[in-house]
Amino acid sequence: MQTNKTKITVAYGDGIGPEIMTATLAILNAAGAELEYDVIEVGEKAYLKGHLTGITPESWDTLQRNKIFLKSPITTPQGGGFNSLNVTIRKTLGLFANVRPCKSFSPFVQSHFPKLDLVIVRENEEDLYAGIEHQQTSEVVQCLKLISRPGCENIVRYAFEYARANNRKEVTCMSKDNIMKMTDGMFHRIFDEIAQEYPDIKTRHLIIDIGSALLADRPEGFQVIVTLNLYGDIISDIAAEVAGSVGFGGSSNIGRNFAMFEAIHGSAPDIAGKDLANPSGLLNGACMMLVHLGQNKIAERIQNAWLKTIEDGIHTGDIASADYTKQRVGTQAFAQALIERLGQKPTQFAPVDLGEGKLINIKQPEQHTVNKQLVGVDVFIDWSEDNRNANILGDKITALAQPNMQLKIIDNRGVLVYPNGIKGVFCSNHWRCRFVSADANVEKNTVQTFATIQHADIYQLLQRLTEAGIDCIKTENLYLLDGQRGYSLAQGE
Ligand code: NAD
């Protein structure tokens, strides 16, 4: 029989997962959500069957087919060898946006900020979370921060579209582009570019440190915050904490073709199987899913009944208080109380009005082609000889650079040590040596004339260095892209 219902994938998860999912689905069904469910097994059981990512191949097929996933928390097994299911799902399904609304439900949940109501839109796939780390010397490890232009465009555009669809009037971008001028700089620049397409929305940019401080101190001044993966991870927890309602939080992970919805809390093994858990976090995640599917009216009905239940003093143990709790209930009784209130509106909280369903569609980032010219190479070396005297190293490799390259500078973790380095700078055994073409003329901030080099010049340079016993641990090619310098200048360069 033909039906208008959307088939979604559901996972009951571990710990309190099955209890809160049972309660959530009962509420969705009672509210008339146009949904059908395919249940898959993820988490502990899948890990124990030997699936190191916590999900079976058949479950992948179901996820790919249905495209929408409502997931209860899972327990991540202790010990090495297991991969995070969440990270695997985000990356495999291209879920680039993590959306976390944070709202105060004062006075029923204590918060210093009763008007706090903000949404964090966090980039979900890139940044330091690519997990590309290397130990390069006995003293130095590195983690690669990868930021792509399409990645920035996707997340920034999503934040603006989200703001529009949810009647939010301001989007704040947070980055650290005063220090990371290329990676965070690109994020900020793309934010400014895309903001031009949304003249109805106010914008501002804050450096992440002062942004975090303001978020902790004056969170009521924010509506939508868009930021990079690591900063988003940190400020989401700050915002949830100052809202006072970690247990209420739902979140969505949105991609172009797939989306996953969940509670922000974990599987709470300490209270599992006792009918004590608060199902609100997962329920709020499920309401975000309904809005994503355009079923706004159903989400609105559930949220109003939920607010009414909270203000009627019907609370699970985690939020129970002497002043505001009239009836302390278990997970399923809370769901039942909410179901009885479907159709009612809160009187102390402002009723929720989600308007008509507006599906958020963001356009594909355009592909940019650029003219790339190779003008030099940074060679990173592991060197501990001669009391780590940079002048001895510099003189040695200056000679090895010739005939087709010249040594510009050497730095040690970003501090210039050759030529004319400051005496007494602490040096690790990790050195960055910048070579450019022998006849390049690269001046500060502007490239006036330069000579293109060939990859073969770099190979020959590496060969000379290696034959002289220098341990080259990594190289980074230096490019001009459409004539613009595609690398940061070294200190003192
Ligand atoms: P947790 O969020 O599960 O629990 C922290 C505390 O909050 C516990 O005291 C718990 O009883 C309480 N709590 C959490 N949710 C509650 C609810 N709905 N109602 C009432 N009380 C609630 O965090 P944890 O103890 O650090 O992690 C437990 C497990 O969950 C770990 O294996 C962790 O890896 C996993 N985890 C999974 C996810 C996910 O699947 N998205 C997220 C976070 C943690």
Side-chain angles (χ1 to χ4, degrees):
M1 198 177 67
Q2 196 73 23
T3 144
N4 287 332
K5 294 186 171 181
T6 303
K7 190 172 259 189
I8 67 163
T9 307
V10 162
Y12 281 75
D14 303 319
I16 57 169
E19 300 159 66
I20 59 175
M21 184 60 83
T22 302
T24 297
L25 295 186
I27 294 166
L28 289 176
N29 292 338
E34 299 280 335
L35 298 171
E36 290 176 343
Y37 312 106
D38 270 338
V39 176
I40 62 168
E41 211 172 69
V42 295
E44 261 181 329
K45 286 189 191 133
Y47 282 119
L48 291 176
K49 280 185 191 159
H51 301 284
L52 295 180
T53 50
I55 180 166
T56 61
E58 311 81 66
S59 298
W60 273 123
D61 293 342
T62 312
L63 281 179
Q64 301 267 2
R65 192 173 59 242
N66 292 336
K67 300 188 169 27
I68 302 290
F69 185 23
L70 180 63
K71 175 181 151 292
S72 262
I74 62 149
T75 302
T76 317
Q78 298 293 317
F82 299 107
N83 298 317
S84 155
L85 174 67
N86 265 9
V87 174
T88 307
I89 289 179
R90 272 183 217 153
K91 291 196 172 171
T92 311
L93 300 183
L95 307 179
F96 60 82
N98 181 259
V99 184
R100 266 201 198 185
C102 292
K103 194 168 164 35
S104 160
F105 296 99
S106 179
F108 299 93
V109 179
Q110 270 201 342
S111 166
H112 297 300
F113 308 104
K115 294 201 185 105
L116 185 155
D117 182 9
L118 61 88
V119 180
I120 294 172
V121 179
R122 161 189 166 195
E123 201 290 318
N124 219 11
E125 290 184 294
E126 305 194 335
D127 200 349
L128 292 159
Y129 287 54
I132 306 176
E133 294 191 296
H134 297 96
Q135 174 135 17
Q136 297 187 319
T137 72
S138 57
E139 294 174 358
V140 176
V141 286
Q142 77 159 15
C143 177
L144 268 191
K145 172 160 174 154
L146 293 176
I147 306 293
S148 75
R149 186 177 171 97
C152 295
E153 284 186 27
N154 280 338
I155 192 69
V156 168
R157 206 176 287 288
Y158 187 85
F160 278 105
E161 288 293 334
Y162 181 93
R164 239 184 212 169
N166 291 280
N167 208 20
R168 306 235 171 195
K169 304 293 178 209
E170 185 179 64
V171 179
T172 305
C173 173
M174 292 196 195
S175 77
K176 186 82 183 167
D177 66 334
N178 54 333
I179 302 294
M180 283 162 278
K181 297 192 165 78
M182 298 199 65
T183 47
D184 288 32
M186 178 163 76
F187 190 81
H188 185 179
R189 206 169 54 249
I190 289 172
F191 175 78
D192 288 344
E193 271 170 38
I194 291 180
Q196 307 294 321
E197 299 170 31
Y198 298 87
D200 49 317
I201 294 175
K202 268 177 62 183
T203 60
R204 65 175 161 157
H205 173 266
L206 293 173
I207 299 291
I208 185 68
D209 23 13
I210 188 64
S212 309
L214 286 175
L215 186 62
D217 191 50
R218 276 165 266 168
E220 291 158 323
F222 292 95
Q223 296 193 29
V224 175
I225 299 171
V226 62
T227 190
L228 296 146
N229 203 343
L230 174 63
Y231 312 139
D233 197 359
I234 297 167
I235 65 168
S236 301
D237 277 17
I238 296 176
E241 185 64 28
V242 295
S245 56
V246 183
F248 282 178
S251 88
S252 63
N253 292 271
I254 308 284
R256 216 166 268 288
N257 301 312
F258 300 94
M260 174 171 82
F261 301 85
E262 60 183 342
I264 65 173
H265 60 72
S267 58
D270 52 332
I271 55 166
K274 297 179 179 163
D275 193 40
L276 292 173
N278 187 342
S280 300
L282 184 62
L283 183 66
N284 283 327
C287 286
M288 295 173 79
M289 175 183 74
L290 291 173
V291 172
H292 180 80
L293 293 170
Q295 298 187 29
N296 286 36
K297 285 292 154 206
I298 312 285
E300 187 178 299
R301 210 165 126 76
I302 293 173
Q303 291 203 318
N304 281 323
W306 179 72
L307 290 172
K308 183 85 174 84
T309 311
I310 301 290
E311 68 178 32
D312 281 351
I314 300 174
H315 298 160
T316 44
D318 55 310
I319 61 159
S321 69
D323 290 341
Y324 293 100
T325 303
K326 295 206 178 98
Q327 203 185 335
R328 193 177 165 127
V329 292
T331 315
Q332 306 314 323
F334 180 85
Q336 213 40 55
L338 191 157
I339 289 168
E340 283 160 18
R341 286 166 178 75
L342 284 167
Q344 297 182 33
K345 292 200 168 157
T347 52
Q348 297 179 58
F349 290 119
V352 173
D353 179 0
L354 293 172
E356 293 303 316
K358 282 187 218 147
L359 298 180
I360 298 181
N361 280 315
I362 59 163
K363 67 180 187 193
Q364 284 285 357
E366 283 167 20
Q367 293 209 345
H368 295 260
T369 49
V370 288
N371 179 19
K372 247 172 112 179
Q373 283 170 274
L374 188 59
V375 294
V377 63
D378 281 347
V379 181
F380 293 78
I381 66 173
D382 180 350
W383 188 73
S384 311
E385 292 157 34
D386 301 316
N387 286 330
R388 303 190 183 185
N389 182 328
N391 289 328
I392 295 178
L393 174 65
D395 292 346
K396 182 172 180 177
I397 62 175
T398 294
L400 294 168
Q402 288 149 11
N404 46 354
M405 306 282 272
Q406 59 171 304
L407 176 69
K408 285 279 299 180
I409 56 99
I410 302 177
D411 67 23
N412 196 291
R413 293 160 305 131
V415 180
L416 180 79
V417 291
Y418 182 89
N420 310 322
I422 299 167
K423 281 209 173 75
V425 170
F426 167 74
C427 288
S428 75
N429 53 5
H430 185 276
W431 311 78
R432 188 259 298 260
C433 310
R434 174 159 288 178
F435 295 90
V436 292
S437 127
D439 52 355
N441 175 17
V442 184
E443 292 199 353
K444 202 166 189 169
N445 290 323
T446 54
V447 180
Q448 292 193 326
T449 61
F450 51 86
T452 303
I453 61 164
Q454 306 301 320
H455 284 88
D457 294 324
I458 296 176
Y459 304 147
Q460 286 159 16
L461 170 69
L462 291 176
Q463 196 169 3
R464 290 194 294 277
L465 291 167
T466 308
E467 281 168 0
I470 304 275
D471 181 8
C472 301
I473 48 181
K474 152 187 158 116
T475 60
E476 288 285 352
N477 292 351
L478 307 179
Y479 289 105
L480 300 184
L481 299 117
D482 286 342
Q484 299 290 315
R485 184 163 40 76
Y487 50 92
S488 56
L489 287 178
Q491 196 191 50
E493 194 178 347

